[in-house]
Amino acid sequence: MANKDDQFKKVISHAKEYGYIFPSSEIYDGLSAVYDYAQNGAELKKNIREYWWKAMVQLHDNIVGIDASIFMHPTTWKASGHVDAFNDPMIDNKDSKKRYRADVLVEDYVAKIEAKIDKEVAKAKKRFGDDFDKEQFVSTHPRVVKYTEQANAILKRLGQSLEKEDLADVKALIEELGIADPDTGSKNWTDVKQFNLMFGTKLGASADTAMDLYLRPETAQGIFVNFLNVQKTGRMKIPFGIAQTGKAFRNEIVARQFIFRMREFEQMEMQYFIKPGSQKEWYDYWKEARLKWHLSLGMGKDNYRFHDHEKLAHYADAAADIEFKFPFGFKELEGIHSRTDFDLSQHEEFSNKKLQYFDPEENKSYVPYVLETSIGLDRMFLAVFSNSLQEEELENGTTRTVLKLPAVLAPTKVAILPLVKKAGLPEIAKKIYEDLKWDFNITYDEKDAVGRRYRRQDAAGTPFCVTVDHDTLEDNTVTLRHRDTMEQKRVKIEELRDLVDQEVNIKHWLKKVQ
Ligand code: ATP
C-alpha cells in the first residue's frame, strides 16, 4: 500500500514539476479538487481528445460530432432524471466531521478482501509455476472461496439497499462490517443521506425573472435534445452516432485522487442511435471497439478489465465499465451503457415534441434505442500519465526517470539539441527546428551538457531527441535518439521528417483499431 501511495505521490509531483498539471489558483492556496492543465498538460489533453475524436468521428462515416452548450433549459434535467435521482449516498463521521460516500466506504472494504484474493493467487502462481490454473484455484481454494463469497454477499446487499433506497440498511451494513473513518479510525457515523450532485446557478440579472439553471453534469443530454436536428440536417440513417467532448460539473461529495475525481471535468461521449431490439449486438460491438481503442495505445493489456454492472442505473438495460489499473488500483475509466429509449422518450414527454425516426426499411416511426460510450478525458489523462511514469535502473547503476507517453500523444515530439553552443552547431540546429516546426510540436534546447538535456526530455516525455554535432558539419547527418530504448541512430537531416512521422502519426496508431 505504501508503495502505491508513493507511486501516486510521484505522479502528482512529476505532473507539477514538468508543467503538466497545477493546482488551481495556487497563489491563493488552491481550490479543493480543481486543477489547471499546464503548458504540457494542455497539449497532452488535446492530443488525447483528438485521438478519441478521430477514432470516433473521422473514421466512422455514420458518426458526427457536435458541441452543445454547458447551460441547458432546466427542464432537460427533470426529463433526464437528474433532478430527482442524481444523488450519491453520503455519510458523515461525527468525530472527524469528514464526509464520505457511503457506497464507496463499502466498496473500499470489498476491495481489501479482493486484494487478499489477489495475494493468495499470486502466492499460488509462484508455487505452481507453469502448471497454475487460476480458475481452478479460485473456485476450490477454501480461503479464496470464502473471501469471494464474502465480497459478493456484501456487494449484493449494498446493491439491493441502494436500489430500494433503503439508506438505513446501508448504514447498518457499514456498522456490521465495522468500517471506520479511513482518516481517524472513528466509527461514530451519522445516518446515510442522499446528496444531489448538480451545481445550480442563475440566468438573468433581476431577482424576479432570474431562472434557475444547472451546470450540465454530463454532456449526453446535449446530444439527446439535438437528436432530431442532427438526424434531419445530416440526413442520418439508423444506426448513427453523435459524439461530443466538453466540460461537465458534479458537486462530488469526496473529490480526491487528484484528477481522477474532480468537480469540473471533461467528458468524451458518443450516443449511438439504433433500432430497438438490436441493443445487445451494439453493446457487444462497442465494448470491443472501445477496448481496442485503448489497447492501440500500447499501454499493456493487463492494465484493463471489464466490470459488468449488476446494479443498473435507472436508464440502462446493460452497462459495463472499462477499468484501468491506476496507481491506487483498478477503477472505472470508461462506461458503456445500453440506455434503451429512456432519454428520448423522457424528452418527448417533457417537451411534447416527437423525437422519432422514420425507418424507411420498416416503413414506420419509432423512438430509437441508444448505446452510449462515455469516457472522462481527465481520467484518461491520468491513466496515460501514471502508466507512463517509470523509473529505470540503467546498466551503469544510475536510475533515470522517464515518461514513456505513447509517442502519438506526447506534447512535444522532438527536442533539437546542438551538442555544444559553438562551432556553428546552434545555427544548424535552429534551421532544423524552423523546418520541422511546421509538422510537429517540437522544442529547442542548448543549455547544459547533452546527457542532462536527454534526461530532461526523458522526464518530460519527449519521444525523440535530435543532436547536431561536429560530424553534422561534414556529412549532414544527426543523431536521432529514442526515449524508450535510448538507442541512437545516425540519420540524414532530410530523413528526419519521415522517420519521426512514422512514429507519431495518428494514422499509424489508429490503424490498429480497425
Ligand atoms: P464514478 O462511479 O467514478 O463516479 P460515474 O459512473 O458516475 O463515475 P459516468 O456518469 O458514467 O461516471 O461518467 C462517464 C465517465 O466520466 C466516467 O467513466 C469517468 O471517466 C468520467 N467521470 C465521471 N465523474 C467524474 C469526475 N468527478 N471527475 C473526472 N471524471 C469523471
Side-chain angles (χ1 to χ4, degrees), residues 101 250 252 259-262 265 267 332-335 337 374-376 379:
R101 257 176 69 177
R250 295 181 187 179
E252 299 280 2
I259 57 169
F260 180 81
R261 186 176 302 289
M262 298 195 289
F265 59 101
Q267 291 187 312
E332 171 177 348
L333 170 61
E334 169 156 9
H337 310 127
S374 172
I375 173 170
R379 269 192 206 177

Side-chain angles (χ1 to χ4, degrees), residues 233-446:
T233 55
R235 297 192 296 153
M236 312 299 289
K237 287 202 175 60
I238 272 180
F240 72 92
I242 306 179
Q244 166 164 236
T245 72
K247 285 277 171 105
F249 301 82
R250 295 181 187 179
N251 200 359
E252 299 280 2
I253 296 170
V254 209
R256 50 175 179 167
Q257 295 172 322
F258 196 37
I259 57 169
F260 180 81
R261 186 176 302 289
M262 298 195 289
R263 298 198 165 106
E264 170 182 344
F265 59 101
E266 191 164 334
Q267 291 187 312
M268 308 192 284
E269 297 199 298
M270 192 277 301
Q271 320 289 328
Y272 205 62
F273 298 91
I274 56 176
K275 216 182 254 189
S278 65
Q279 65 267 36
K280 171 80 178 85
E281 173 197 331
W282 287 115
Y283 178 66
D284 293 342
Y285 172 88
W286 281 109
K287 268 175 78 173
E288 192 191 327
R290 292 303 305 147
L291 184 63
K292 267 195 190 162
W293 180 85
H294 286 285
L295 294 180
S296 72
L297 288 169
M299 297 203 298
K301 208 164 157 234
D302 293 343
N303 284 326
Y304 303 85
R305 70 181 190 196
F306 279 114
H307 166 183
D308 295 312
H309 285 212
E310 285 185 17
K311 176 185 177 271
L312 294 170
H314 57 279
Y315 52 73
D317 76 353
D321 298 334
I322 295 177
E323 294 187 336
F324 185 77
K325 198 171 179 190
F326 288 98
F328 38 83
F330 272 102
K331 293 271 180 216
E332 171 177 348
L333 170 61
E334 169 156 9
I336 291 125
H337 310 127
S338 171
R339 294 181 77 123
T340 68
D341 59 357
F342 175 82
D343 304 270
L344 290 181
S345 300
Q346 287 289 106
H347 287 303
E348 273 202 327
E349 191 185 324
F350 279 75
S351 68
N352 265 325
K353 308 259 161 47
K354 265 202 169 358
L355 293 176
Q356 302 197 355
Y357 169 78
F358 177 75
D359 191 329
E361 280 169 26
E362 307 240 330
N363 200 26
K364 67 171 191 199
S365 294
Y366 55 78
V367 178
Y369 270 36
V370 170
L371 213 290
E372 164 184 83
T373 71
S374 172
I375 173 170
L377 175 48
D378 314 85
R379 269 192 206 177
M380 183 63 195
F381 186 112
L382 182 59
V384 171
F385 192 87
S386 60
N387 187 67
S388 301
L389 184 59
Q390 295 173 22
E391 297 231 318
E392 278 181 357
E393 300 272 344
L394 300 181
E395 276 170 15
N396 63 10
T398 59
T399 55
R400 72 162 180 155
T401 302
V402 50
L403 188 62
K404 292 187 168 177
L405 298 171
V408 65
L409 301 181
T412 305
K413 307 300 187 200
V414 188
I416 317 280
L417 320 170
L419 184 65
V420 288
K421 255 195 283 183
K422 54 186 182 206
L425 303 189
E427 286 73 14
I428 301 176
K430 280 183 188 152
K431 198 168 163 292
I432 297 174
Y433 175 87
E434 287 302 323
D435 192 32
L436 282 189
K437 79 175 183 192
W438 296 92
D439 298 286
F440 313 108
N441 204 9
I442 62 175
T443 187
Y444 174 86
D445 187 7
E446 58 177 28

